[in-house]
Amino acid sequence: MEKIKMEAVAEIGAAQSENELVSVNKRYLDKDGTLGEFFKSLGSLSKEERGVAGVKANRIKQEILAVFEKKASELKEKNKNKRSDKDWLDVTLPGINPRVGHLHPLTLVERRIVEIFYGMGFEIIQSQEIENEWYNFDALNIPKDHPARDVFDTLFLKDGSPLRPHTSPGQVRYMENHQPPLRVIVPGRVFRRDAVDASHMPNFYQIEGLMVDKALSVANFKAVIDEFFKQFFCDSETELDVYGKNSAKATAEKDNIRLRPSFFPFTEPSFEVDLRCVHCAGKGCSACKGTGWMEVMGAGMVHPNVLKNAGVNPQFWQGFAFGIGMDRLAMIKYKVNDIRLFYENDQRFLEQF
Ligand code: DAH
């Protein structure tokens, strides 16, 4: 029995985990365990021997149990410490600074443009990127044999649907469902069969604008667009704010936009809108090729045929429309000299915004 006790105590002492301890306990103290067998064997002894041996065996059982319980509570304590080691938190450690993402410069510009026009009462809609011949050309007064269909150099899907080369189809789609007076802008992605260079991408962004009302004139257009540029560039974080705090005085007396006659099938008259160069305030620099002006959008008074095609009676209503190249405005605002930078996703570039 002393031998059994020594073995049991040694095994209990060696147990590393509560599980191991339980199996040691079973092996010695269970009915079928070593001690259990011993008690059973007592039956073969004489009465006196049985009494003496039984008392001794019980004492040893109690001693083993005591060692077992001590070990069990030790292991429990150890485990408790182990768990809190793992969960322990050093609140004095410096935190991990999560890298916060930010918006792409084109998204920033789009949101700003939208915000400004929204402030002037324009509704903002999206129009589809996959168009059909009617909305893309016919409804916009572009006849079947008109060179404009080549000029746009449209990309077509296999089923013949054009990918919109401009946001102008959005005008017609909107007017079909809304009666004037109306003001709407249509920001979105457009596609052209253009070779990639510093100022061309086959995929870029425009914002279409349309206002239809009674007795609208080019003067209204000029007022709206002038206000737009004033707001768009006055909050510019760069030095190039013609309208901003730095140079407001210098240019307050001058016209900051000018209209040059142009041609678009969907407007009459049509014009290109130039913005006084925001880099040099009109003196002439490399950004404006020495002219003092930057071409920023096409515009005009909506052609009566376009109104008719969209279900608006041109006898009662007039409108102006314009198409702004969003990439171009972003390039001007952020002094970016290559449109490709917006699409290459080079982190060194994107992280600057
Ligand atoms: N859709 C023209 C383009 O992509 C831009 C444009 C010109 C839009 C005149 C207009 C407009 O709404 O009136 O070049």
Side-chain angles (χ1 to χ4, degrees), residues 37-324:
E37 294 297 335
F38 182 81
F39 279 113
K40 279 182 215 161
S41 74
L42 292 181
S44 62
L45 297 177
S46 71
K47 211 174 161 199
E48 295 93 76
E49 282 174 325
R50 207 190 304 156
V52 177
V55 170
K56 185 144 197 204
N58 261 324
R59 203 190 67 230
I60 286 193
K61 184 180 175 182
Q62 292 312 318
E63 284 168 6
I64 297 177
L65 259 177
V67 175
F68 170 82
E69 256 144 37
K70 188 161 167 257
K71 178 75 180 188
S73 67
E74 269 172 32
L75 280 179
K76 205 166 176 185
E77 192 62 24
K78 203 168 123 201
N79 274 349
K80 208 164 81 192
N81 290 342
K82 219 195 259 164
R83 214 170 300 131
S84 55
D85 265 357
K86 199 175 66 204
D87 295 343
W88 189 69
L89 174 71
D90 184 354
V91 292
T92 65
L93 276 179
I96 301 162
N97 213 354
R99 299 231 306 166
V100 179
H102 53 89
L103 296 172
H104 190 278
L106 289 178
T107 309
L108 290 173
V109 162
E110 176 180 336
R111 292 199 179 176
R112 185 66 191 124
I113 296 174
V114 161
E115 192 175 47
I116 295 169
F117 280 107
Y118 187 72
M120 290 195 275
F122 282 73
E123 190 179 338
I124 292 95
I125 63 150
Q126 288 198 308
S127 189
Q128 55 212 69
E129 292 173 0
I130 300 175
E131 264 304 350
N132 62 39
E133 295 270 342
W134 168 254
Y135 291 103
N136 207 41
F137 300 118
D138 304 287
L140 290 168
N141 199 37
I142 304 174
K144 286 267 187 278
D145 58 348
H146 198 283
R149 300 211 190 211
D150 302 332
V151 169
F152 286 128
D153 246 355
T154 307
L155 291 157
F156 290 89
L157 296 183
K158 280 207 182 90
D159 69 359
S161 313
L163 289 177
R164 66 174 177 194
H166 55 174
T167 40
S168 302
Q171 292 184 27
V172 182
R173 289 190 178 274
Y174 184 81
M175 281 191 283
E176 275 180 345
N177 299 316
H178 298 81
Q179 278 303 306
L182 54 87
R183 294 172 215 192
V184 65
I185 59 168
V186 191
R189 188 207 297 249
V190 298
F191 309 86
R192 287 189 198 178
R193 200 185 284 268
D194 276 342
V196 175
D197 64 23
S199 48
H200 293 89
M201 284 294 292
N203 161 137
F204 58 104
Y205 290 83
Q206 286 190 336
I207 288 210
E208 192 77 12
L210 172 71
M211 179 166 177
V212 178
D213 210 323
K214 287 192 173 123
L216 272 187
S217 75
V218 177
N220 299 108
F221 168 73
K222 278 191 82 174
V224 166
I225 282 315
D226 199 44
E227 177 62 23
F228 164 72
F229 281 125
K230 211 169 269 173
Q231 292 192 31
F232 187 74
F233 284 112
C234 84
D235 69 349
S236 174
E237 285 142 21
T238 66
E239 292 296 308
L240 47 86
D241 50 343
V242 162
Y243 300 96
K245 45 196 177 316
N246 303 334
S247 44
K249 256 205 197 120
T251 57
E253 313 284 291
K254 299 185 204 155
D255 285 335
N256 287 313
I257 56 172
R258 75 176 183 190
L259 309 185
R260 271 182 298 114
S262 184
F263 174 78
F264 298 102
F266 29 91
T267 43
E268 183 57 41
S270 307
F271 25 81
E272 300 283 348
V273 180
D274 292 344
L275 173 67
R276 186 180 295 282
C277 179
V278 293
H279 297 275
C280 65
K283 288 185 210 74
C285 67
S286 63
C288 57
K289 301 195 184 84
T291 64
W293 295 92
M294 300 178 125
E295 192 181 314
V296 284
M297 65 169 90
M301 300 305 291
V302 182
H303 196 288
N305 287 350
V306 176
L307 294 175
K308 249 185 269 170
N309 288 336
V312 172
N313 188 339
Q315 291 199 304
F316 300 116
W317 304 101
Q318 289 115 41
F320 62 75
F322 54 91
I324 309 177

